[in-house]
Amino acid sequence: MSETILKTNNLVKKYGNQLAVNNVNIEIKSGDIYGLIGKNGAGKTTLLKMITGLTLPTKGEIQLFGETSNEGLNEVRKRTGAIVETPSFFPYLSARKNLEYFRIQRGIVGKDVIDEALKLVGLSDTGKKKFKNFSMGMKQRLGLAAAILGSPDLLILDEPINGLDPTGIVEIRELLLKLNKEKNITIIISSHILGELSQIATKYGFLNNGDLIEQLSSKEIEEKCRRSLALKVKDAKKTSVVIEEELNCTDYEVRDKNEIRLYELIDTPEVVIKTLVDNNIILYSAHQVGESLENYFIKRVGGNGNA
Amino acid sequence: MLNYMRAEAYRNFNRMAFWNFVVITSVLTIVLNIALKVTPGMEIIGVSTLFEIGIGMLTMPLFLVLIFIDLVTAEEQKNLTLKNAMSFGISRNKIVISKLIVTAVLAILSAIIILTVFFGSGSIIFGIDENVNIDLFQDFSIRLLAASTLWMGAITLGTFLALVMNKNTIFGFLYAGLFLFLGQVLNLLTHFVWDKFQYAFDILLTSQLTVLVSKTLTNSEIRFAVLVGLSYVVVFSISSMIYFSKKEVK
């Protein structure tokens, strides 16, 4: 059974009367890539700030690598690397010198780690260019380089692919997967780009208005977003009887009085259609569907396609 | 904490602004010495007079340390880089203490360089005169050491303000304004409102530095100046740690 890296117990953060995070309980095990999903203002960044110690919880407990006390948490945070909000560095220093600052600060021996980190994020050729002259994408990459410096056990990444072009997004995705697989680095990642998150996350937490409304594994998401045959009919009740008695199917869902989702016989729609028609069911349409993470998210929290 | 201080020293020594300040100030001291030499009517007997000039300028570092506080602390607020140290698990108290120590180190280092250039160039330009003796060194050293505690008090006060103010421009104006105007305000209050405001005036850093600059100086005045400086250090160090322990870091 894998070790619990991070656990929060009824974590609350209040700003005046506003509840930014409301009794959130998450659990992340070693080797997870945990995708934190939520709309703007849902509380994702606030939650990550509490985990990284940038803001103090109003109530509740954080357990990180088994530690819960303030001193203990500070000690184990040395095993983490984080990007929270926009990556911030010293504008008058180059990428190399900024990372050198962090290498000294973290007591990491050997300057090779800097070359390695810059190479991994594609910033080896920035030379003496100062941080203040970096593009948004370069800043994000440097943020990631600083986070992975010294091979932390846990990466906490707040929207790390903001500002990256499509190639950059693919590179970072592959880098994170590589770090997770080869070095068993656990990753918490919040992102607005749900499609991208769905390609790497092994576990998801859905935040809405400060509440953790659902927490599920990628396998569970797959089942919930699974493929089905969408049937638009005149009478769903009558259709469901035919489905059970003639098709011997029990795995279906009546969505409303005109729509049924059938989770069996998806690849043989002709059999389903013929059976329904032969039993005098008025069928308007039948097509295969698979729910995306975006649609599932919208269903759970409402709003537009972006988190 | 040691690693954090080393990192802070690294970034500040890689900062052109720091070296520009040291070099420009050092050059200005040479320019001053040359100006004193060539200006008719200026009675510079020798380098001993520079000690008197140096004592007269003991108030200036109060304003000069603003630069170091800005480099070490205020700019981090502006650049939002404090979060990097904190998310790595460096405790808030250690961050505050480290910043105070690094600011003091930068100030002391630049003071050593500037004073060396000032007296060194002065010795070359004016020569060592017969008034340079052990008593002169002792007097200057005592005043300098006593003033150092007041400058440290200014560093802790300034660091506290820099932690409270998110904008380093506002911090700069507030810091300078305090030292420029607070004394005068308290003076006016003493004369026109309540004479007990004199006590507050007496414990201002500027007031104590004015005492240290005076021609005659008693031991009790020196002791009191040191006590005031150390009190500022204690009060504002603790205040900084208390304030910063609760602050939400952006």
Side-chain angles (χ1 to χ4, degrees):
Chain A
M1 199 162 167
S2 57
E3 178 198 357
T4 296
I5 297 289
L6 170 71
K7 196 173 173 188
T8 65
N9 296 317
N10 299 320
L11 206 57
V12 174
K13 180 65 185 178
K14 232 176 158 179
Y15 292 106
N17 289 328
Q18 195 185 351
L19 210 52
V21 170
N22 184 23
N23 286 307
V24 164
N25 294 288
I26 63 170
E27 184 172 2
I28 300 171
K29 297 221 181 262
S30 174
D32 279 347
I33 300 179
Y34 189 95
L36 197 56
I37 302 175
K39 293 192 286 192
N40 287 334
K44 305 187 297 294
T45 298
T46 306
L47 178 60
L48 295 181
K49 286 174 87 167
M50 284 193 282
I51 292 167
T52 51
L54 298 181
T55 191
L56 301 169
T58 307
K59 262 196 304 185
E61 185 184 76
I62 296 169
Q63 186 187 314
L64 184 62
F65 295 106
E67 294 288 344
T68 54
S69 67
N70 275 340
E71 296 77 23
L73 284 171
N74 276 335
E75 199 49 45
V76 295
R77 280 188 182 119
K78 291 171 173 59
R79 294 171 63 184
T80 69
I83 305 174
V84 179
E85 293 182 301
T86 331
S88 300
F89 291 92
F90 304 108
Y92 45 86
L93 295 179
S94 64
R96 186 169 294 277
K97 287 194 170 177
N98 264 296
L99 291 186
E100 176 65 10
Y101 170 86
F102 288 113
R103 187 191 71 80
I104 298 170
Q105 187 193 84
R106 294 171 193 181
I108 300 169
V109 175
K111 294 194 178 191
D112 298 343
V113 294
I114 296 174
D115 291 320
E116 195 189 320
L118 288 173
K119 193 177 171 189
L120 280 172
V121 302
L123 285 179
S124 297
D125 299 328
T126 51
K128 292 184 178 176
K129 191 173 188 178
K130 293 187 177 17
F131 178 75
K132 62 184 175 190
N133 298 321
F134 278 18
S135 65
M136 181 64 187
M138 289 171 77
K139 289 178 181 177
Q140 288 288 138
R141 287 170 187 266
L142 188 61
L144 192 56
I148 64 176
L149 206 61
S151 290
D153 294 320
L154 171 66
L155 274 179
I156 301 166
L157 306 173
D158 189 10
E159 306 196 27
I161 55 177
N162 265 1
L164 292 177
D165 58 33
T167 316
I169 291 173
V170 170
E171 285 171 6
I172 297 306
R173 182 208 314 153
E174 285 171 3
L175 172 62
L176 293 177
L177 285 170
K178 184 179 170 184
L179 291 172
N180 177 253
K181 283 190 170 45
E182 291 178 10
K183 299 191 179 188
N184 198 39
I185 294 177
T186 307
I187 301 171
I188 305 170
I189 175 169
S190 78
S191 179
H192 283 172
I193 306 174
L194 304 184
E196 193 51 39
L197 210 54
S198 66
Q199 297 199 51
I200 63 170
T202 58
K203 202 169 176 182
Y204 297 87
F206 289 80
L207 271 181
N208 190 38
N209 293 328
D211 294 305
L212 185 73
I213 54 171
E214 197 166 16
Q215 195 171 213
L216 61 176
S217 67
S218 53
K219 203 173 171 189
E220 287 166 327
I221 279 270
E222 267 172 37
E223 281 174 22
K224 286 179 186 264
C225 298
R226 68 185 196 190
R227 291 176 65 228
S228 61
L229 206 54
L231 304 168
K232 277 257 190 257
V233 295
K234 189 172 181 186
D235 188 342
K237 204 172 169 188
K238 196 175 163 189
T239 309
S240 63
V241 171
V242 172
I243 286 173
E244 286 188 20
E245 290 180 0
E246 300 299 325
L247 289 170
N248 294 316
C249 292
T250 52
D251 196 3
Y252 67 92
E253 183 190 351
V254 177
R255 292 260 170 126
D256 56 44
K257 61 180 184 169
N258 298 117
E259 189 183 352
I260 288 181
R261 289 286 174 97
L262 181 61
Y263 297 108
E264 298 176 61
L265 300 173
I266 304 162
D267 293 320
T268 51
E270 65 279 8
V271 170
V272 175
I273 293 166
K274 188 174 184 305
T275 307
L276 293 178
V277 168
D278 288 345
N279 283 275
N280 301 315
I281 298 293
I282 298 173
L283 179 66
Y284 299 125
S285 70
H287 59 278
Q288 292 162 336
V289 294
E291 194 158 47
S292 66
L293 182 60
E294 275 103 345
N295 287 340
Y296 186 76
F297 172 77
I298 291 166
K299 216 172 65 175
R300 294 300 280 122
V301 305
N304 299 326
N306 272 336
Chain B
M1 191 163 114
L2 202 56
N3 285 334
Y4 183 62
M5 286 196 290
R6 285 175 59 221
E8 284 289 286
Y10 170 81
R11 79 164 170 95
N12 283 294
F13 287 140
N14 268 281
R15 192 77 208 271
M16 281 314 296
F18 171 71
W19 294 110
N20 287 344
F21 167 77
V22 172
V23 166
I24 289 169
T25 314
S26 299
V27 166
L28 283 175
T29 61
I30 298 173
V31 168
L32 174 67
N33 284 334
I34 294 171
L36 288 170
K37 179 76 175 175
V38 302
T39 306
M42 298 295 296
E43 290 171 14
I44 305 291
I45 300 166
V47 79
S48 61
T49 315
L50 294 184
F51 281 89
E52 288 175 30
I53 295 171
I55 288 168
M57 293 198 293
L58 283 179
T59 317
M60 266 178 54
L62 264 189
F63 299 94
L64 297 178
V65 295
L66 170 61
I67 293 164
F68 306 119
I69 299 167
D70 190 58
L71 288 177
V72 174
T73 306
E75 272 208 347
E76 280 227 79
Q77 296 265 62
K78 186 179 98 173
N79 296 327
L80 305 177
T81 46
L82 271 174
K83 64 182 176 186
N84 298 324
M86 293 179 61
S87 63
F88 183 62
I90 299 171
S91 80
R92 292 173 182 240
N93 284 347
K94 283 182 181 172
I95 289 174
V96 170
I97 295 168
S98 299
K99 293 226 171 275
L100 291 172
I101 293 172
V102 171
T103 308
V105 166
L106 290 180
I108 291 167
L109 180 66
S110 55
I112 291 171
I113 295 171
I114 292 163
L115 285 173
T116 304
V117 170
F118 178 57
F119 286 109
S121 61
S123 302
I124 294 168
I125 291 170
F126 301 110
I128 312 284
D129 57 289
E130 63 205 13
N131 291 326
V132 175
N133 53 39
I134 194 76
D135 290 333
L136 186 69
F137 277 120
Q138 200 174 351
D139 180 61
F140 181 75
S141 301
I142 288 169
R143 290 172 193 257
L144 187 67
L145 283 171
S148 300
T149 60
L150 296 167
W151 298 334
M152 261 315 299
I155 288 173
T156 51
L157 167 63
T159 302
F160 173 73
L161 291 176
L163 289 170
V164 170
M165 300 283 132
N166 287 331
K167 297 216 181 303
N168 65 332
T169 325
I170 297 175
F171 150 71
F173 279 118
L174 183 61
Y175 180 91
L178 267 176
F179 290 122
L180 285 171
F181 302 118
L182 184 58
Q184 292 172 42
V185 168
L186 286 173
N187 245 337
L188 288 170
L189 289 171
T190 304
H191 283 112
F192 296 112
V193 178
W194 189 32
D195 61 356
K196 298 281 187 277
F197 277 108
Q198 181 66 41
Y199 293 118
F201 179 83
D202 288 342
I203 60 168
L204 290 180
L205 294 172
T206 42
S207 305
Q208 289 305 308
L209 282 165
T210 306
V211 167
L212 289 178
V213 162
S214 56
K215 268 213 173 311
T216 54
L217 193 61
T218 64
N219 282 337
S220 65
E221 283 172 333
I222 294 169
R223 277 196 297 269
F224 188 67
V226 171
L227 183 64
V228 167
L230 292 176
S231 301
Y232 271 72
V233 169
V234 170
V235 166
F236 286 105
S237 298
I238 293 172
S239 302
S240 297
M241 284 191 273
I242 292 171
Y243 175 81
F244 195 59
S245 69
K246 303 272 182 277
K247 183 177 173 137
E248 169 137 348
V249 174
K250 295 199 186 301

